Amino acid sequence: MITARMDKALLFRSLHDSARPLALANAWDVTGARVVEAAGAPAIATTSAGIAWALGRPDGEALSPDRVVDLIARVVAAVDVPVSADVEGGYAQDAAGVAGIVARVVEAGAVGINVEDGTRPPAELRARLAAARAVGERAGVALFLNARTDTYLFGLGDPAARLEDTVERARGYVDAGADGIFVPGVADPATIAELASRIPVPVNIMAGPGAPDVAELGRLGVARVSLGPGVAQAAYTAARHAAQRLYGTGDYRPDAIAFPELDNLFLGPR
């Protein structure tokens, strides 16, 4: 089992290549992960927002770590491809607590982890990354640590200094043990290209309206592209449209995956 997990970890690490960026349609439950895998995904990444919404909580570390780890374990058990888990800021008050959560996520079978700074001081994420790095090394897994910085997503600091701040944070996170840097909220090609050229590890960008497509992001130097909560938002939008039509005109005709196709995802032994 340890060998199989290491193989997945090394495979996941190798997929980060700007020549063919790793594209991740983030999942939030087991069926979604199986659907994404069946569509040809080389890896599965979870979305913390999607998981929180599905479990009746808002995004922002409002879920208990037990529920998050349980969901991650279920996703890992359901798919054959590598799984990377979004653990927000680490569901803990300090680096030692984050290490405990990361150890549980690694034990659940994840070979990648996203940890974010949010509005915390960069020094705090550096400490959390160092703790997570130590967990991966003790477990003997080539854990891929993706450090998310929210400078652009949250519009932190002086806009004129944001690029330099982001690069400085990123380099500090790499020094603390990060294998990749995730910069959600940036869509400008020139900014993306500069980030990719100045950050010494694979850069992850979130796709969405206004952002370049995957191929163009690769040409800009991006090695990983995520949809983040976008797929979950689209699924809940479809549910809302279905309900509005049902209770409005009453003529709802779904554009849906066939019942047997979904059922067949879970037939046979695993």
Side-chain angles (χ1 to χ4, degrees), residues 39-113:
I44 297 295
T46 63
T47 160
S48 63
I51 291 172
W53 297 332
L55 295 176
R57 301 291 290 168
D59 190 29
E61 300 190 49
L63 280 175
S64 73
D66 289 346
R67 300 187 79 184
V68 175
V69 173
D70 177 70
L71 187 283
I72 291 166
R74 290 174 184 273
V75 168
V76 169
V79 300
D80 294 321
V81 296
V83 173
S84 182
D86 181 354
V87 298
E88 303 192 63
Y91 300 103
Q93 295 300 312
D94 54 26
V98 172
I101 299 302
V102 171
R104 294 177 63 188
V105 171
V106 169
E107 185 177 358
V111 297
I113 287 182

Side-chain angles (χ1 to χ4, degrees), residues 129-147:
L129 289 167
R133 177 85 283 146
V135 169
E137 291 174 355
R138 285 196 298 272
V141 177
L143 184 68
F144 192 98
L145 279 179
N146 205 34

Side-chain angles (χ1 to χ4, degrees), residues 16-43:
H16 293 76
D17 185 351
S18 60
R20 187 179 181 182
L22 171 60
L24 297 166
N26 301 70
W28 65 97
D29 64 8
V30 169
T31 302
R34 290 296 299 274
V35 167
V36 170
E37 180 185 39

Side-chain angles (χ1 to χ4, degrees), residues 10 16 39 186 190 245:
L10 295 175
H16 293 76
V186 58
R245 291 191 63 175

Side-chain angles (χ1 to χ4, degrees), residues 183-207:
V183 190
V186 58
D188 173 61
T191 303
I192 292 171
E194 187 158 1
L195 289 168
S197 70
R198 295 179 61 188
I199 294 173
V201 294
V203 169
N204 181 184
I205 294 295
M206 186 149 61

Side-chain angles (χ1 to χ4, degrees), residues 178-270:
D179 299 294
I181 298 293
F182 182 21
V183 190
V186 58
D188 173 61
T191 303
I192 292 171
E194 187 158 1
L195 289 168
S197 70
R198 295 179 61 188
I199 294 173
V201 294
V203 169
N204 181 184
I205 294 295
M206 186 149 61
D213 63 22
V214 174
E216 177 61 19
L217 286 169
R219 287 189 286 270
L220 295 172
V222 173
R224 175 167 167 172
V225 181
S226 306
L227 293 182
V231 182
Q233 289 172 272
Y236 293 126
T237 299
R240 181 171 66 183
H241 287 171
Q244 288 172 336
R245 291 191 63 175
L246 178 65
Y247 301 125
T249 63
D251 65 347
Y252 177 64
R253 292 182 295 276
D255 178 15
I257 300 174
F259 186 98
E261 186 178 349
L262 284 173
D263 230 30
N264 287 341
L265 290 172
F266 301 99
L267 293 177
R270 284 204 62 79

